[in-house]
Amino acid sequence: MSIWERLLKIDRKIIFVVMAVLVLFPLLKPLGLGVSSGPRAKAVFDAVDAIPPGKTLLISVDFDPASMPELYPMLVALMRHAFARDVKVLLCGLWITGAGLADKAVTEIPPEYGKEYGKDVVYLGWKAGVDAVILGMGENIKNVFPVDYYGHPLDSLPMMQDVVRLRDIPFMVAISAGTPGFGDWLLYGQSRYGLRVGAGVTAVSAADAYPYLQTGQLTGLLAGMKGAAEYEVLVAKKGYSKAYMPGVAAMDSQSLAHLVILILVVLGNVAFFATRMKRR
Amino acid sequence: MHISTDIWTWVAVILTFGIFSFLWKDNPFYKFCEHLFVGISVGYTIALTWYNSVYPDLITPLFRQGKPLYIIPFVLGLFYFTRFIPQVSWLVRIPMGFVLGWASGVAIPAFFQTNIIKQIQGTLLTPGIFSRWDVFLWALISFIGVICSVLYFFFSREHKGALKVAADTGIVFLMIGFGASFGYTVMARMSLLIGRFQFLLRDWLGVIK
């Protein structure tokens, strides 16, 4: 059996082990390859940076634990950015399984900046009926969410005195793992109420988001874990946060894994054509 | 190294290894973890739907606050369950018709505006594209790509001559699109693996920050 034939018959378990070692190694010993921020992540950052202090950033938590490694760092970085600039944060969710994740962020991040629940941050929770929820929020948020996730009436929360409907929100970021997600915010929030929308998406759905960037419907885009890392770098560069950056920490592993996949794809193709020529 | 003493972290670790065991081969341990995940997700969804939507938005106003108008959505909701009684199963068409009609009325104009009008506007070659050479170049590439890709799906004429050239060019654009999607998919899968490893190394073993 030639070397090419052997290459085509590598046991997939060997590839899994090689991949696991290459992903683990940089997590234990970071290589420091660095992350550069692209224009799409910068556009989201600039839009959040342009929100006047005291105004509100809406973040829609439209993901579940399965997509947490990619999207949760985005949520955390966005909240840190907003709080560092005294921008208030309003959270809601279109994914039922994301409710607990938003609660985790609301519990952990505001205390880092001395922010109070109800005054600087409010979490509305999840409600059934995507289109009805967004359209209802466009008219009056309190009609859709009379109470927040924790059962407090919205009238009792000082932050909600200034935020009555979507038009009171200068910018929102939909962090979505699919449908419902940023597409629904564009459909109902933007086309009907003129809401400015940025998106943070899983890498799988990033390609679907590009057409909306090109038309200007999306202000900016954070794509996958790389997008999260780009945002973390921007937030750290401006001095808004000195906290641990899980997205950036993962990028060395990501780069090594991609390198191995590239090598394997090239080797696999070369081996395929070499064995085919031999057969002829 | 600082191994977690939290029982739930250990449960998550065991279930993580259970899911990873599929990489070796399908096995009962993996099956158990898979079924547990699906069961918990469904149970969580039912509980949250009840407490966040059905109870506060229907049960409370109808039975506690005595708002009679809420009897309409209540009855329409009950009609869904007539699927289980063959004699009256036709009643399910009423709430379905209502939902479809309402959803279509709401979604069609918005969908048309967002996904058709705006996308056509974004594809058109306008005077604005001459502001910079790179803007012009990308606008032109987008324009050619959209036209050729759409022509590839034009099946009313045989693909030969100019139509064949355009359709073949369309295939190139489609392949680039699929390639980008695949590349991003690989990145997504790797990210999930990295996320699990971060959990194991940080939350369980405590060997990284």
Side-chain angles (χ1 to χ4, degrees):
Chain A
M1 194 187 286
S2 73
I3 187 164
W4 299 120
E5 284 166 330
R6 278 185 198 178
L7 265 175
L8 285 177
K9 286 184 179 145
I10 296 178
D11 190 343
R12 65 194 173 101
K13 293 180 193 92
I14 294 171
I15 295 172
F16 292 155
V17 171
V18 170
M19 199 58 80
V21 170
L22 284 168
V23 168
L24 271 174
F25 177 70
L27 290 175
L28 295 165
K29 289 261 173 221
L31 307 174
L33 297 176
V35 177
S36 56
S37 298
R40 290 168 289 278
K42 190 147 188 331
V44 178
F45 182 85
D46 290 343
V48 176
D49 226 38
I51 300 173
K55 290 283 180 186
T56 302
L57 166 71
L58 171 66
I59 303 177
S60 186
V61 182
D62 307 333
F63 61 96
D64 60 354
S67 39
M68 197 179 170
E70 288 183 279
L71 301 181
Y72 190 73
M74 291 179 196
L75 172 63
V76 169
L78 277 162
M79 287 177 77
R80 284 188 174 133
H81 184 189
F83 290 139
R85 294 195 58 257
D86 283 329
V87 168
K88 296 172 181 184
V89 176
L90 178 67
L91 295 112
C92 67
L94 302 178
W95 278 46
I96 197 164
T97 39
L101 301 178
D103 170 46
K104 180 178 153 70
V106 169
T107 313
E108 288 174 2
I109 309 303
E112 286 179 16
Y113 294 83
K115 299 295 178 187
E116 274 179 55
Y117 187 82
K119 212 171 127 197
D120 306 293
V121 58
V122 167
Y123 174 38
L124 299 171
W126 171 88
K127 268 278 157 81
V130 177
D131 34 14
V133 168
I134 301 174
L135 290 170
M137 287 175 77
E139 300 301 324
N140 191 332
I141 294 170
K142 283 170 203 163
N143 287 348
V144 185
F145 296 96
V147 295
D148 68 359
Y149 180 73
Y150 308 101
H152 308 119
L154 251 52
D155 289 325
S156 68
L157 303 171
M159 187 182 130
M160 297 312 291
Q161 306 305 317
D162 303 326
V163 188
V164 177
R165 53 192 180 149
L166 289 182
R167 286 195 202 280
D168 300 326
I169 293 165
F171 184 61
M172 73 98 44
V173 181
I175 307 181
S176 23
T179 308
F182 75 90
D184 297 273
W185 285 103
L186 289 178
L187 267 182
Y188 304 112
Q190 191 187 60
S191 73
R192 187 143 175 179
Y193 300 106
L195 182 67
R196 281 185 76 209
V197 181
V201 298
T202 53
V204 171
S205 45
D208 298 336
Y210 275 84
Y212 300 103
L213 267 178
Q214 196 250 340
T215 56
Q217 290 163 282
L218 276 181
T219 302
L221 177 71
L222 307 174
M225 198 177 252
K226 171 76 163 62
E230 289 178 28
Y231 204 89
E232 285 172 350
V233 166
L234 288 166
V235 170
K237 256 188 192 167
K238 275 259 191 165
Y240 291 139
S241 169
K242 286 179 181 158
Y244 174 68
M245 298 184 284
V248 173
M251 275 303 107
D252 285 346
S253 298
Q254 189 80 260
S255 302
L256 272 190
H258 284 194
L259 192 65
V260 173
I261 291 167
L262 273 175
I263 292 168
L264 288 174
V265 167
V266 172
L267 273 179
N269 277 280
V270 171
F272 173 77
F273 284 109
T275 50
R276 199 169 74 163
M277 276 164 64
K278 200 178 157 192
R279 274 200 300 272
R280 279 179 183 172
Chain B
M1 191 160 167
H2 181 75
I3 297 180
S4 171
T5 51
D6 182 3
I7 182 87
W8 291 112
T9 303
W10 278 86
V11 170
V13 168
I14 291 166
L15 293 173
T16 299
F17 283 126
I19 295 293
F20 276 162
S21 69
F22 186 78
L23 293 171
W24 186 259
K25 64 176 183 180
D26 201 357
N27 62 77
F29 187 26
Y30 168 76
K31 281 268 188 283
F32 169 76
C33 298
E34 189 188 26
H35 286 94
L36 188 70
F37 176 74
V38 174
I40 287 176
S41 299
V42 173
Y44 184 76
T45 302
I46 291 170
L48 222 63
T49 306
W50 175 262
Y51 287 109
N52 279 35
S53 282
V54 181
Y55 192 79
D57 294 341
L58 182 66
I59 306 296
T60 302
L62 183 60
F63 297 111
R64 294 186 146 215
Q65 296 166 349
K67 293 181 179 171
L69 264 183
Y70 281 75
I71 196 78
I72 299 170
F74 181 69
V75 171
L76 285 173
L78 285 180
F79 280 175
Y80 274 108
F81 294 96
T82 60
R83 288 290 293 169
F84 301 112
I85 311 163
Q87 292 84 355
V88 288
S89 63
W90 58 271
L91 282 171
V92 77
R93 292 176 197 157
I94 300 171
M96 282 176 76
F98 180 79
V99 168
L100 284 173
W102 181 83
S104 304
V106 166
I108 288 171
F111 189 88
F112 202 77
Q113 170 71 16
T114 307
N115 292 322
I116 297 177
I117 304 279
K118 285 277 183 187
Q119 292 302 322
I120 290 173
Q121 283 175 346
T123 310
L124 290 175
L125 299 175
T126 57
I129 65 168
F130 297 103
S131 59
R132 280 198 340 244
W133 72 268
D134 57 327
V135 174
F136 169 73
L137 185 67
W138 285 116
L140 196 65
I141 290 171
S142 291
F143 179 77
I144 295 168
V146 169
I147 299 293
C148 292
S149 301
V150 171
L151 282 173
Y152 171 74
F153 293 101
F154 185 77
F155 302 123
S156 299
R157 284 188 77 121
E158 190 184 345
H159 285 189
K160 61 182 183 186
L163 186 58
K164 182 173 169 29
V165 174
D168 288 350
T169 312
I171 291 174
V172 173
F173 278 95
L174 288 171
M175 289 302 151
I176 292 170
F178 295 145
S181 286
F182 177 70
Y184 266 128
T185 304
V186 170
M187 185 163 99
R189 301 300 172 235
M190 280 302 140
S191 299
L192 301 187
L193 177 69
I194 294 165
R196 273 299 83 190
F197 280 177
Q198 280 182 328
F199 164 75
L200 293 173
L201 295 176
R202 186 179 53 218
D203 298 19
W204 181 42
L205 296 175
V207 291
I208 60 171
K209 258 206 286 185

